[in-house]
Amino acid sequence: MSDSRERASTAPATKPTTGGPRGYFGIGVEGISKPMNLGAVLRTAHAFNASFAFAIKAEFDVGAVLASDTSSAMSSLPVQLYDGVADFTLPLGCRLIGIEITEDAIELPSFTHPLAAAYVLGAEQDSLSPELQARCDFIVKIPTKFCVNLAVAGAIVMYDRMISLGRFAERPVRVGGPHQARRAHRHGLPIWKRNRLKGLGKPE
């Protein structure tokens, strides 16, 4: 699969996030036809603090999308529309991850999320186009009995990213919540200084 980092970027600037996991992510859809589904994806992306959203070859009424988006996500995060896959771009270093059921797709519970990532979903009752799949760095599938609504699939992926990269107290062995609060994050020395100290044989 091709690495999206090789493509020059004319994509929208991402908005910085505060707190939570490091890195950033965006989410989008290809060929979506139902405005309410796009509105649900945008609303959920806003809730999970996405940095940007996008749609490729989408046909929808903007007013209908805004009507379904009670969080006003379109006024809170960049939303970019692309006429086709050829026009689609991402920020430099951002890995493209297709959410699709294929024979060799990685199951979501076994997938390690890149710090900089963009997730793309296929349209209702359709799959990601072969052209877009070829541009994905990874193809990931959600191990369910049957396909779920694309907005639900997007929410599952974003939740999995949050619990994988977020800083939360560890789950206890027994049933119930954690008995200890999460450890405070400790900021280490800059990488260049750590490397210099290692070279001098000094402790960090």
Side-chain angles (χ1 to χ4, degrees):
M1 294 181 182
S2 62
D3 190 338
S4 59
R5 291 173 297 181
E6 298 175 358
R7 296 187 291 275
S9 173
T10 57
T14 58
K15 69 183 182 73
T17 56
T18 56
R22 293 180 298 157
Y24 67 87
F25 79 94
I27 190 166
V29 291
E30 180 192 27
I32 192 169
S33 60
K34 297 181 180 179
M36 292 300 181
N37 279 338
L38 181 57
V41 171
L42 295 178
R43 183 170 61 253
T44 308
H46 186 200
F48 279 103
N49 204 23
S51 296
F52 63 96
F54 59 90
I56 305 170
K57 296 175 65 176
E59 295 184 5
F60 63 93
D61 177 73
V62 176
V65 173
L66 292 174
S68 70
D69 178 20
T70 56
S71 73
S72 299
M74 291 185 74
S75 64
S76 302
L77 77 161
V79 179
Q80 186 69 31
L81 303 180
Y82 298 96
D83 292 331
V85 176
D87 304 315
F88 176 55
T89 57
L90 287 174
L92 293 176
C94 185
R95 312 296 293 274
L96 182 60
I97 300 159
I99 309 303
E100 185 61 81
I101 298 176
T102 64
E103 190 173 335
D104 58 349
I106 304 168
E107 291 191 330
L108 181 61
S110 303
F111 179 65
T112 297
H113 296 263
L115 290 181
Y119 305 91
V120 62
L121 303 138
E124 306 90 347
Q125 300 180 356
D126 202 355
S127 303
L128 292 174
S129 66
E131 184 182 4
L132 187 55
Q133 287 191 44
R135 289 186 55 174
C136 290
D137 297 291
F138 305 99
I139 300 292
V140 173
K141 63 182 177 182
I142 302 170
T144 53
K145 276 186 171 183
F146 44 82
C147 294
V148 295
N149 173 273
L150 72 87
V152 173
I156 292 171
V157 170
M158 288 184 278
Y159 176 76
D160 188 80
R161 178 184 175 88
M162 181 187 70
I163 63 174
S164 298
L165 298 180
R167 299 188 182 100
F168 299 96
E170 293 186 8
R171 295 180 191 264
V173 176
R174 296 183 178 179
V175 174
H179 300 291
Q180 296 180 346
R182 68 177 184 180
R183 294 181 180 179
H185 179 65
R186 176 178 174 273
H187 293 278
L189 296 173
I191 294 176
W192 67 267
K193 185 171 288 187
R194 293 205 304 267
N195 292 338
R196 177 178 294 180
L197 291 175
K198 286 180 181 178
L200 296 174
K202 296 181 179 180
E204 297 180 20

